Amino acid sequence: MAETSATTETGEPASRPRKSSWKYIGPGIVVAATGVGAGDLVATLIAGSKFGYTLMWAAVIGCVVKISLAEAAGRWHLATGRTLFDGWRSLGAWTTVYFAIYVVVWGFIYGATAMSSSALPIVALFPDGPGLKFWAIVTGLIGLVFVWFNRYAVFEKVMTVLIGIMFVVVMYVAIRVVPDVGASFAGLVPVLPDGSLLYTLGLIGGVGGTITMAAYGYWVNAKGWSNSSWMKVMRLDNRVAYITTGIFVVAMLIVGAELLHASQIALTSGDRGLIDLGTVLEDRFGAGTAKLFLIGFFATSFSSLIGVWHGVSLMFADFVERFRAPVGPGASEDSEASAASAEEHAGPAVTARQQRSLPFRAYLLWLTFPPMTLLWLDEPFGLVIAYGVLGAFFMPFLALTLIWLLNSSRTPGEWRNGWGSNGMLALSGLLFVVLCVQQVRDLPW
């Protein structure tokens, strides 16, 4: 790989590898906090309530799959000095068309979903106060103002606090229900009970698997990691992120298995299932535990809201910037040239500039204000279909394009995929294709 003459603020050569250290951890915490939403936790709870500890192994495999995907996204950013959308654009105009439609439709519906999800626990905590619509609008506006006026460093600190609350609450509840340690270890043996296939695929591919995985590379750059010298640091950061996610999944499976499975208690699907769980916890352990859980529910939902408000807006700003720029003649051929120009394409300065840009702020407004109309209206039928189809196709799109990019001359030889990375990305791509087909089949056509 070509050496660069870039230096850090301390005057050290930018190409000198950094030692992986816990003090650098940050973007992984952000992606973990953003990727795990309330709906994901409910899906895991329902799996535990139906099958007990039997699908524990699927949660572990899912953790490994996510580590592989996020590592590949981060490796692309650091090895090439180019953003992920820059790489997608080099694959052809079809990626631009897909992403443009996806990011507009997805953002419109997700905005309403995130605001409603953040409002639900507040309404449950303060039942005599204003209603769901009021709190949904308030949380959306708080997210808008917070992301608009704060840079990455403050954003990361707040996300760290929120994931800390999530972690403490989820682990407390899992310990409180007294897990069956023997049964949980037995659940690490892969088995498929009757009727469990879709739940298994969902556990492997669903929790923590969203567009925020693609945003990981942008947060890596925002942190100040802009070249391959940060590769070891990024890999440690990424592992911490998805091991944390794996712990969340295991803890919620334990709660589902111990609290719901034996009693055959059913939860409402979607975010409202956590309100049901709060009621069950109050009956079993008292109001204090139920209120603590609702605080954790809010931390889970609101971290996803501000994470998307920040990360996907960064992706949209980069999308607009790359769309305006001509595709260079060596964009898909000369990996050494693109690596040597890393500081021009990615890094904290570019990320800070993008966060002040008109496209970044325009997408923030798009995520916040138009979706508020959906709080009063049922989601239009055609929009639901478009959202479901585009959303189902995103994870296969991410996995398969990463395989393409990281096995081509776009990536310096040292950092291209090995057999392990190719195997995991191919496995995740196949998994997400199966999930995609199932999601499309389940849509209300």
Side-chain angles (χ1 to χ4, degrees), residues 21-105:
S21 171
W22 290 90
K23 69 180 182 180
Y24 293 124
I25 297 301
I29 297 297
V30 171
V31 79
T34 306
V36 180
D40 295 315
L41 296 185
V42 172
T44 307
L45 276 169
I46 291 174
S49 69
K50 287 181 175 293
F51 303 104
Y53 291 94
T54 309
L55 300 181
M56 189 76 75
W57 62 274
V60 175
I61 291 178
C63 182
V64 175
V65 166
K66 304 305 187 317
I67 287 173
S68 301
L69 270 170
E71 188 275 341
R75 177 155 45 95
W76 165 263
H77 276 250
L78 296 182
T80 67
R82 298 165 65 186
T83 64
L84 188 54
F85 185 78
D86 197 18
W88 285 340
R89 193 175 178 221
S90 74
L91 300 179
W94 65 276
T95 59
T96 301
V97 173
Y98 169 76
F99 186 78
I101 299 172
Y102 174 81
V103 79
V104 171
V105 176

Side-chain angles (χ1 to χ4, degrees), residues 316-325 345 350 353-354 359:
F316 182 77
D318 184 56
F319 161 73
V320 173
E321 186 174 305
R322 305 299 166 191
F323 183 75
R324 290 173 176 170
H345 290 85
V350 172
R353 172 174 55 76
Q354 288 176 334

Side-chain angles (χ1 to χ4, degrees), residues 242-258:
Y242 283 101
I243 289 173
T244 303
T245 301
I247 292 172
F248 282 140
V249 176
V250 168
M252 294 308 278
L253 267 176
I254 288 171
V255 174
E258 293 292 345

